Amino acid sequence: MSHPPPPGTPKARIPHPQQPPPPYPRIGAGLWRRCLVGGLAVWVPAAGLALATRSAAALVVPVLLGAFLAPVVFVLWAYERHGRDLGVSAVLGCFLAGGALGVLGACLTAASAPHPSPGRYLTVALTEEAAKLAALAFALRRQPAVHGMRAGLVLGAAVGVGFAALESTGHALDAALWAPDPWGQLETELVRGLLAPLGQGAWTAVAGGVLLALRRPDGRFRYAPPVIAAGMGVALLHALADTARGLSPWLVVRLTGRGVETGLFAPGYPPQPSAAQQHLLTLVSALGPALVALAGLSWALSLARRNPPYPPCPPWKNTP
């Protein structure tokens, strides 16, 4: 005669067949949107607090969050939309490869600041865009199946936003250390940190899309005339954005009529700007590069529309 088990005795568990683990970590849909909204909700008061108190300790959050918010949001979006097709290692590898070049890019741009000129801006733009394309090729050197225009657009943008993250951080630190009015200039650099990934990501997306569209089946890259033409085109957009940013102090002085008597600026900054001049400088220095970034985004979207996704069959499983 069997007796029921005493209360509290754990019941026997019937083993169930083990499910294989997912091939890559799962991310909930829409995480990039929540990250963007939450990041902006933290960044806006943090930036206002840092500028109001002029405390160096309060500057860490707005500088780092402003530089990395847009890049991280893009990586989450690419991870959610294309992680299965491209592979997590491709997306993160391109982002990190671009970030490793960000410090060098900031050094090149800072070195050009004392003597700004269209020729210097074009030289820096050509160098940076060539370096980002080299970073994209290096990150994908062991993944020959990743090819196609859309794959290049996504992964090229990942390289660009990774580059912009550390470059923007370097510019903000440079302004804090060396600008004649560091706290006024930081207002401009904080806004730049949010907008820079749009331009850098769009330009490298275009060049990367053309590069991967012409990639050979064995994984070798072809630096054919279309690749060179796309690289030159995005370098011109890059130089145009830097020129617009470099001319913004001169334009502010001409518009306000104050500071003309002191001649042109110290390295890229108005001489002892007023509060009104500083706010106008923030607006002007953001508006010009933003318009150039929109041109780059339009170019990238036109390439995406002309190259629809491939059908999900095995030969193109790594192409979004």
Side-chain angles (χ1 to χ4, degrees), residues 22-298:
Y24 62 94
R26 298 287 182 177
I27 286 185
L31 178 61
W32 65 272
R33 295 190 186 91
R34 296 191 295 272
C35 181
L36 177 61
V37 173
L40 289 176
V42 173
W43 181 84
V44 171
L49 179 64
L51 293 174
T53 61
R54 302 206 168 194
S55 168
L59 190 63
V60 176
V61 172
V63 167
L64 292 180
L65 185 59
F68 282 89
L69 177 60
V72 169
V73 166
F74 174 82
V75 169
L76 289 176
W77 172 84
Y79 192 87
E80 177 182 327
R81 294 287 300 274
H82 305 290
R84 181 188 299 274
D85 297 318
L86 293 174
V88 177
S89 60
V91 176
L92 293 183
C94 289
F95 177 78
L96 295 176
L101 292 171
V103 177
L104 299 178
C107 293
L108 286 174
T109 309
S112 69
H115 305 286
S117 66
R120 180 64 63 89
Y121 288 136
L122 181 59
T123 301
V124 172
L126 286 170
T127 303
E128 290 184 355
E129 294 304 325
K132 287 188 287 183
L133 269 186
L136 176 63
F138 176 80
L140 300 178
R141 68 193 187 282
R142 295 183 179 177
Q143 302 183 51
V146 178
H147 69 282
M149 176 64 72
R150 287 193 167 232
L153 291 172
V154 173
L155 297 178
V159 171
V161 297
F163 178 90
L166 287 184
E167 186 193 37
S168 299
T169 305
H171 280 296
L173 293 177
D174 181 68
L177 293 174
W178 306 112
D181 180 20
W183 286 100
Q185 180 62 21
L186 279 172
E187 178 183 325
T188 304
E189 296 302 334
L190 290 176
V191 175
R192 173 195 172 130
L194 291 177
L195 296 179
L198 298 179
Q200 296 281 9
W203 302 326
T204 316
V206 170
V210 178
L211 178 66
L212 288 190
L214 299 177
R215 192 179 190 183
R216 298 182 186 275
D218 59 0
R220 289 185 298 171
F221 294 96
R222 295 175 56 201
Y223 298 96
V227 178
I228 298 175
M232 292 293 295
V234 298
L236 287 175
L237 290 178
H238 190 159
L240 184 59
D242 289 344
T243 302
R245 187 180 298 111
L247 290 178
S248 56
W250 177 87
L251 183 59
V252 168
V253 168
R254 294 297 176 182
L255 290 175
T256 59
R258 179 182 178 274
V260 180
E261 66 279 359
T262 61
L264 275 181
F265 321 94
Y269 307 108
Q272 297 180 348
S274 64
Q277 277 186 315
Q278 184 57 56
H279 296 321
L280 183 60
L281 176 64
T282 300
L283 176 63
V284 172
S285 62
L287 183 59
L291 293 176
V292 180
L294 287 177
L297 287 173
S298 300

